[in-house]
């Protein structure tokens, strides 16, 4: 059986892990189901934002903000004082604004690069992209002003090419640790961030849900 930490996950009631596995106790006040959904998406969102701080007063564009990692990153970035532009479908706009985003842009209705250029002619400070391919990422990274950072979770950045433009390119990989998990859990318990929507489904229904659109509509799925 594959341990769920740092992998695509598994279905199990009990999991054996190595002694050095990044684990943290579920704090009082945090539901076990919510806790089980936090590590990968929440840990990545928190770690990404912490790696980019300080963000106070900076303009941050988050591509794929409506998904798990994006939802957490939006909240942590907004809490850090950033002006967050969240790329989400219109149906998720209100949720992202409630998370602290200052603006939303729907890529199905308008070109994200064009919309950002129109609203921010002087560019942005940070790009957090959890969705684009290499070409899409390069186009969006061109919006980042010199001295800024363009980060991708899909490992499609060309750091050398971005450096020529004075932009730091980051191919992000999650650095999960017990301390990170504890900070994440504490933030949820304290109410500083909300856990993204969770859909409970029965184990027998998993194939149908995944066949529906490949990722359960961007929501965290807990099987019972």
């Amino acid at each position: 059986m594959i341990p769920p930490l740092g992998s695509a996950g598994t279905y199990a009631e009990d999991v054996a892990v190595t002694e050095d596995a990044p684990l943290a106790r579920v704090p009082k006040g945090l539901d076990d189901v919510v806790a089980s959904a936090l590590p990968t998406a929440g840990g990545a969102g928190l770690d990404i934002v912490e790696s980019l701080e300080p963000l106070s007063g900076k303009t941050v564009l988050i591509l794929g903000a409506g998904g798990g990692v994006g939802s957490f990153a939006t909240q942590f970035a907004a809490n850090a004082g950033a002006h967050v532009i969240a790329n989400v479908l219109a149906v998720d706009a209100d949720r992202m604004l409630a998370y602290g985003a200052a603006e939303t842009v729907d890529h199905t209705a308008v070109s994200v690069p064009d919309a950002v250029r129109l609203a921010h002619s002087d560019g942005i400070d940070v790009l957090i992209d959890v969705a684009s391919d290499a070409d899409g990422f390069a186009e969006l990274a061109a919006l980042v002003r010199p001295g800024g950072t363009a980060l991708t979770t899909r490992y499609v950045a060309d750091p050398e090419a971005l450096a020529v433009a004075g932009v730091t390119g980051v191919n992000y990989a999650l650095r999960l640790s017990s301390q990170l998990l504890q900070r994440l859990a504490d933030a949820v318990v304290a109410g500083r961030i909300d856990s993204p929507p969770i859909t409970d489904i029965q184990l027998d229904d998993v194939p149908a849900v995944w066949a529906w659109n490949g990722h359960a509509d961007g929501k965290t799925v807990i099987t019972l």
Side-chain angles (χ1 to χ4, degrees):
M1 180 172 59
I2 301 175
L5 297 176
S7 75
T10 187
Y11 308 122
E13 293 181 356
D14 300 289
V15 176
V17 297
T18 60
E19 292 183 359
D20 60 348
L23 301 174
R25 291 186 179 277
V26 178
K28 183 178 180 180
L30 182 59
D31 180 78
D32 287 345
V33 173
V34 174
S36 69
L38 291 178
T40 301
L46 175 56
D47 188 44
I48 286 171
V49 170
E50 289 184 339
S51 74
L52 296 169
E53 290 181 332
L55 291 177
S56 181
K58 294 184 178 180
T59 300
V60 178
L61 171 62
I62 301 181
L63 259 289
V69 175
S71 291
F72 282 108
T74 295
Q75 295 180 80
F76 283 119
N79 288 348
H83 178 101
V84 177
I85 308 169
N87 159 232
V88 291
L89 297 176
V91 69
D92 287 320
D94 287 343
R95 177 167 65 91
M96 303 316 296
L97 294 174
Y99 285 167
E103 307 173 42
T104 64
V105 56
D106 183 349
H107 61 278
T108 66
V110 64
S111 162
V112 174
D114 289 347
V116 174
R117 288 192 192 95
L118 183 62
H120 301 272
S121 58
D122 59 342
I124 61 175
D125 299 295
V126 176
L127 167 66
I128 298 173
D129 192 336
V130 302
S132 300
D133 59 15
D135 290 340
F137 177 77
E139 183 178 13
L140 291 164
L143 301 171
V144 180
R145 61 173 66 97
T149 301
L151 178 149
T152 171
T153 60
R154 299 190 63 185
Y155 230 82
V156 294
D158 184 341
E160 293 183 0
L162 289 170
V164 173
V167 175
T168 300
V170 177
N171 286 304
Y172 173 79
L174 175 59
R175 301 168 296 184
L176 205 58
S177 68
S178 297
Q179 294 78 14
L180 180 71
L181 291 176
Q182 193 63 61
R183 294 197 300 276
L184 173 62
D186 289 344
V188 175
V189 172
R192 295 193 298 272
I193 62 167
D194 295 327
S195 177
I198 294 177
T199 299
D200 294 339
I201 64 172
Q202 298 299 312
L203 189 60
D204 290 343
D205 296 328
V206 171
V209 171
W210 245 252
W212 176 37
N213 70 352
H215 52 69
D217 202 25
K219 299 179 180 179
T220 300
V221 175
I222 301 297
T223 56
L224 303 174

